[in-house]
């Protein structure tokens, strides 16, 4: 007579031998103390957006002002914000404890930069010693990288220019840049300012550009060794005989004179680190390829050592298989039982 | 003019044109004239850029011609450090060694039982472990074992093993500094430093102390806070203060008096070399001199005990002490005069 057991769900048999689970409490404690993961998918997406990437997308700008601002400065800050509406954050409250050029006065800036994920900042302040002062700075890893301090003179806002509204440039379009003057190459401060202005107004780095969407130009002219004339113009493309249209510039946006006051260049080591490009992106030299005049392109192939001894087989050799091992181990114990049953059958 | 045009530095990737050779011979007095001059010059520069831009191969699109831009030539600094490549996970290493390819699985699988398409995972899935109503017993089953319970425990073990592996992979990645962006280490998630915090290894003692420090801010000093499994009771490095009872019980004697006496004695003992107790000094001197005389007498009596007249040992001592008692001087001078008198 053979035995058949039906284990119906819910009917618990006595003496269930369960393996004690590895201390879940310990793992839980470890997790609580060390690892923090976002609880919602949205938070996870936000964190991934802020993570460092191989190829960088676009820098965000933080616009804020200090203890005192003048009318001119207010207008400048709002206009810069309008020019960069897509990727800028403007703080409206005053910040008394920010002094970018002092060693202790940057912590607040760095904190804001971390919270808003902005790597460029424009800080405006007005004082008797430095009237209409604008500090444009960049951060690397949310620490101050470099700073340029400019004073603003002869400011003309966007509203003061009259032009045909149809050609007004749209927000987020990729701008042209025109740098005029030998000062931008010879004078160190102007060179720095050129780099910073380019970074500030560049927008995203794109691989493909739609030529119909080109409509703004930033014109920077080095008038003297410390003064730069900065203006923003709209583009009008006029028909010409060739494929290339004729460019026409119409002054549209804010126009101001930037007088360079102070500047701070980045540390050499920091600069080196910030300018690093991912090694995967650099073009690799093709190795083991040579050209022959007669045959053409020749390649050398080096066959690596086939470690036949260490290779793992896709299948398991017969003796190693678990079923076989188990059956063998149990075979000795079951042998007697089977024999007994057989005898019984024989009897029956 | 042609020379000037060739001198323009054009960066197509950034749509920039730079004229390094331009010099202002004379700056116009009026600002408007200056601006006009700048704009006319800029127009020339932009035209040069546009020439090279429009000559790139373009593909037609609904909105306009699209042109592939080259890489910008002016290098600008990054805003965040380069991400480090993460080390391969345990599974990836194994799969590479075995040559296992990752096959994309479909979300829906055909279920023969209900002959419908069911999800591979999630709600109402194919081959759900919990849905099985009957499990047939095998010959290898022991009689006392609940197969449903074993299934549940096996699943739990599998889940725990996977969690352990996940933590191991994260730990390995954290060692290199390549944690996935959505995972943060709680100890280093402080807002002061940037994304790459200096990974200062917090020691076990420090971590325990932090929890204790937080506890001291509670009303009962962290004594009754719920402890996690494995957390040790808070350390108490300082002394425990003893406060006397308000109401004295019988049988002890005045505790307060004892406490103050103790303190007083300690103070006195510290400064005892400054306080001179005359009677005590005298007693001490007497004892000392007695001992000395006994030793000397012992020596001399060994030589000729019969010859010498036994003097009363106390006679001289009293004489000496009276002398000493008279003069309030220190023991040393007394001993010197004593020697003389002998």
């Amino acid at each position: 007579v053979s035995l058949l057991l039906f284990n119906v769900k819910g009917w618990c048999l006595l003496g269930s031998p369960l393996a004690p689970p590895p201390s879940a409490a310990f793992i839980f404690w470890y997790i609580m103390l060390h690892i923090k993961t976002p609880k919602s998918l949205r938070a996870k997406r936000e964190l991934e957006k802020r993570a460092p990437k191989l190829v960088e997308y676009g820098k965000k700008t933080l616009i804020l002002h200090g203890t005192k601002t003048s009318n001119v400065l207010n207008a400048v800050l709002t206009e810069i914000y309008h020019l960069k509406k897509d990727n800028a954050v403007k703080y409206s409250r005053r910040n008394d404890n920010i002094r970018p050029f002092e060693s202790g006065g940057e912590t607040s800036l760095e904190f804001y930069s971390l919270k808003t994920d902005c790597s460029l900042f424009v800080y405006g302040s007005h004082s008797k010693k430095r009237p209409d002062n604008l500090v444009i700075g960049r951060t690397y890893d949310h620490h101050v990288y470099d700073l340029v301090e400019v004073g603003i003179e002869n400011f003309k806002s966007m509203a003061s220019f009259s032009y045909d509204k149809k050609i007004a440039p749209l927000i987020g379009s990729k701008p042209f840049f025109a740098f005029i003057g030998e000062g931008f190459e010879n004078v160190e401060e102007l060179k720095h300012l050129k780099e910073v202005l380019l970074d500030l107004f560049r927008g995203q780095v794109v691989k493909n550009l739609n030529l119909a969407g080109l409509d703004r130009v930033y014109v920077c002219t080095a008038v003297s060794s410390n003064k730069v004339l900065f203006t923003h113009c709209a583009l009008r493309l006029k028909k010409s005989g060739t494929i290339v249209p004729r460019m026409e510039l119409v002054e549209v946006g804010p126009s101001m004179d930037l007088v360079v006051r102070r500047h701070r260049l980045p540390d050499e080591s920091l600069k080196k680190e910030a300018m690093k490009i991912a090694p995967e992106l650099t073009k690799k030299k093709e190795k083991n390829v040579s050209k022959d005049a007669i045959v053409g392109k020749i390649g050398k192939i080096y066959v690596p050592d086939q470690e036949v001894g260490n290779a793992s087989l896709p299948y398991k050799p017969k003796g190693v298989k678990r079923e076989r091992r188990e059956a063998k181990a149990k075979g000795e114990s079951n042998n007697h039982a089977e024999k007994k049953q057989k005898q019984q059958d024989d009897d029956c | 003019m042609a020379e000037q045009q060739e001198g323009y530095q054009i960066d197509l990737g950034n749509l920039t044109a730079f004229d390094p050779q331009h010099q202002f011979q004379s700056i116009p007095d009026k600002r408007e004239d200056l601006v006009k001059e700048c704009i006319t010059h800029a127009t020339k520069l932009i035209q040069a850029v546009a020439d090279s831009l429009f000559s790139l191969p373009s593909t037609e699109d609904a909105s306009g011609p699209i042109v592939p831009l080259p890489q910008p030539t002016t290098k600008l600094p990054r805003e965040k450090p380069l991400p480090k490549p993460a080390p391969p996970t345990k599974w990836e290493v194994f799969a590479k060694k075995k040559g296992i390819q990752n096959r994309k699985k479909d979300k829906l699988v055909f279920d023969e039982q209900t002959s419908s398409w069911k999800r591979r995972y999630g709600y109402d899935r194919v081959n759900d472990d919990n849905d099985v109503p009957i499990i047939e017993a095998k010959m290898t089953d022991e009689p006392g074992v609940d197969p449903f319970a074993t299934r549940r425990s096996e699943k739990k073990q599998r889940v725990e093993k996977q969690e352990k592996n996940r933590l191991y992979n994260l730990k390995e990645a954290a060692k290199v500094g390549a944690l996935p962006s959505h995972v943060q280490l709680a100890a280093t998630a402080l807002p002061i430093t940037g994304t790459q915090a200096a990974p200062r290894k917090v020691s076990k003692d420090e971590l325990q102390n932090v929890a204790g420090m937080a506890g001291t801010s509670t009303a009962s000093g962290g004594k009754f806070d719920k402890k996690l499994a494995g957390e040790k009771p808070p350390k108490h490095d300082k002394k425990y203060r003893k406060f006397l009872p308000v109401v004295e019980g019988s049988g002890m004697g005045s505790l307060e008096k004892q406490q103050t006496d103790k303190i007083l004695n300690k103070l006195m003992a510290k400064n005892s070399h400054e306080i001179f107790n005359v009677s005590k000094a005298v007693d001490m001197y007497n004892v000392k001199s007695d001992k000395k005389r006994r030793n000397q007498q012992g020596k001399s009596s060994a030589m000729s005990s019969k010859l010498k007249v036994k003097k009363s040992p106390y006679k001289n001592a009293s004489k000496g002490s009276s002398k000493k008692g008279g003069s309030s001087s220190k023991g040393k001078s007394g001993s010197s005069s004593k020697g003389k008198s002998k």
Side-chain angles (χ1 to χ4, degrees), chain A residues 256-274:
Chain A
M256 58 188 109
D257 284 357
L258 304 173
V259 179
V260 178
R261 285 179 184 155
R262 288 187 286 186
H263 77 129
R264 193 205 287 177
L265 288 169
D267 276 343
E268 271 310 311
S269 57
L270 197 63
K271 186 173 180 183
K272 221 171 152 187
E273 203 196 318

Side-chain angles (χ1 to χ4, degrees), chain B residues 180-282:
Chain B
S181 51
H182 56 273
V183 176
Q184 279 176 307
L185 288 180
T188 59
L190 298 166
I192 299 169
T193 48
T195 46
Q196 237 186 10
R200 186 177 142 268
K201 289 217 165 160
V202 195
S203 67
K204 186 175 156 188
D205 297 324
E206 276 185 29
L207 281 173
Q208 283 176 339
N209 284 346
V210 162
M213 267 193 263
T216 54
S217 65
T218 52
S220 55
K223 200 170 165 185
F224 303 110
D225 286 343
K226 278 201 186 135
K227 300 272 178 295
L228 294 171
E231 206 179 326
K232 289 187 187 158
K235 277 198 282 190
H236 190 100
D237 294 323
K238 300 174 195 150
K239 275 192 192 175
Y240 287 98
R241 278 190 73 185
K242 185 181 174 186
F243 294 100
L244 297 169
V246 175
V247 177
E248 252 176 53
S250 58
M252 254 321 275
S254 174
L255 289 166
E256 200 179 335
K257 188 166 182 284
Q258 280 183 0
Q259 200 180 46
T260 46
D261 275 346
K262 201 164 135 191
I263 297 168
L264 192 65
N265 288 335
K266 273 194 188 159
L267 280 172
M268 301 287 269
K270 272 189 186 171
N271 302 320
S272 60
H273 63 276
E274 287 168 359
I275 306 162
F276 187 62
N277 191 350
V278 176
S279 50
K280 197 170 177 184
V282 165

Side-chain angles (χ1 to χ4, degrees), chain A residues 266-313:
Chain A
D267 276 343
E268 271 310 311
S269 57
L270 197 63
K271 186 173 180 183
K272 221 171 152 187
E273 203 196 318
M275 294 292 206
K276 264 195 222 175
I277 311 171
E280 299 100 66
L281 298 175
T282 49
K283 257 190 171 178
K284 279 207 182 128
K285 207 179 132 186
E286 241 189 319
K287 278 174 129 183
N288 298 326
V289 171
S290 60
K291 280 202 171 150
D292 194 11
I294 303 161
V295 185
K297 207 173 181 185
I298 304 176
K300 276 189 197 171
I301 304 174
Y302 293 96
V303 181
D305 180 29
Q306 288 177 304
E307 287 170 8
V308 189
N310 293 349
S312 49
L313 302 162

Side-chain angles (χ1 to χ4, degrees), chain A residues 3-19 21-22 24-25 27 29-38 44 47-48 50-56 58-60 111 114-115 117 119 138-143 145 154 174-182 184-185 194-195 198-199 202 205-212 214 217 219 221-223 229 233 235 243-249 251 255-257 273-278 312-313 330, chain B residues 9 11 13-24 27 31-32 34-35 37-39 41-43 45-47 49-51 53-55 58 61 63-72 74-83 85 97-98 130-137 139-150 153 156-157 160 163-164 166-167 170-171 181-187 189-197 207 228-231:
Chain A
L3 281 162
L4 271 174
L5 272 170
F6 282 96
N7 294 318
V8 184
K9 193 182 179 181
W11 179 37
C12 187
L13 294 169
L14 294 164
S16 46
L18 293 170
I27 294 172
W29 179 83
Y30 181 78
I31 295 168
M32 270 182 75
L33 205 58
H34 285 276
I35 295 171
K36 226 166 86 162
T37 44
K44 189 177 170 186
L47 278 173
E48 279 175 0
R50 295 191 174 195
K53 299 178 190 76
L54 219 55
V55 177
E56 293 204 322
K59 294 189 183 181
K60 289 211 302 206
F111 176 73
L114 179 71
K115 283 294 164 182
D117 194 32
S119 59
R138 293 186 283 190
T139 61
Y140 175 73
D141 193 22
H142 303 292
H143 293 297
Y145 177 75
N154 299 327
K174 193 144 173 78
F176 277 96
F177 283 92
F179 291 101
I180 306 166
E182 56 172 6
F184 281 124
E185 199 165 25
K194 170 173 175 258
E195 198 186 319
L198 184 63
D199 215 353
R202 176 163 75 143
V205 179
V206 284
K207 283 195 179 156
N208 298 314
L209 184 70
N210 189 346
L211 296 175
L214 295 166
V217 185
V219 180
T221 323
V223 175
L229 204 143
C233 306
L235 261 186
I243 318 165
V244 184
R246 194 161 60 84
M247 299 282 162
E248 199 184 298
L249 267 64
E251 211 178 346
S255 142
M256 58 188 109
D257 284 357
E273 203 196 318
M275 294 292 206
K276 264 195 222 175
I277 311 171
S312 49
L313 302 162
K330 282 196 179 168
Chain B
Q9 288 173 12
D11 177 6
N14 282 328
L15 302 178
T16 311
F18 173 38
D19 181 9
Q21 291 165 358
H22 182 89
Q23 286 163 20
F24 273 103
I27 299 173
R31 196 191 144 75
E32 291 133 15
L34 175 65
V35 169
E37 201 183 313
C38 292
I39 290 182
H41 199 75
T43 321
L45 285 169
I46 301 294
Q47 195 67 53
V49 177
D51 286 337
L53 189 67
F54 280 80
S55 60
S58 68
D61 193 33
S63 44
I66 294 183
V67 141
L69 274 183
Q71 285 280 321
T74 42
K75 278 192 201 165
L76 290 169
R78 288 179 61 97
E79 60 169 341
K80 285 178 189 143
L82 275 171
K97 194 179 87 166
K98 286 278 181 175
N130 304 339
D131 282 347
V132 181
I134 299 170
I135 301 174
E136 286 185 25
M139 295 303 283
T140 51
D141 266 348
E142 292 167 26
V145 168
D146 177 15
F148 297 100
T150 42
S153 69
K156 202 170 174 196
Q157 277 181 28
E160 278 171 0
E163 186 64 22
K164 192 164 73 90
R166 186 181 80 94
L167 291 177
L170 281 177
K171 200 169 69 161
S181 51
H182 56 273
V183 176
Q184 279 176 307
L185 288 180
L190 298 166
I192 299 169
T193 48
T195 46
Q196 237 186 10
L207 281 173
L228 294 171
E231 206 179 326

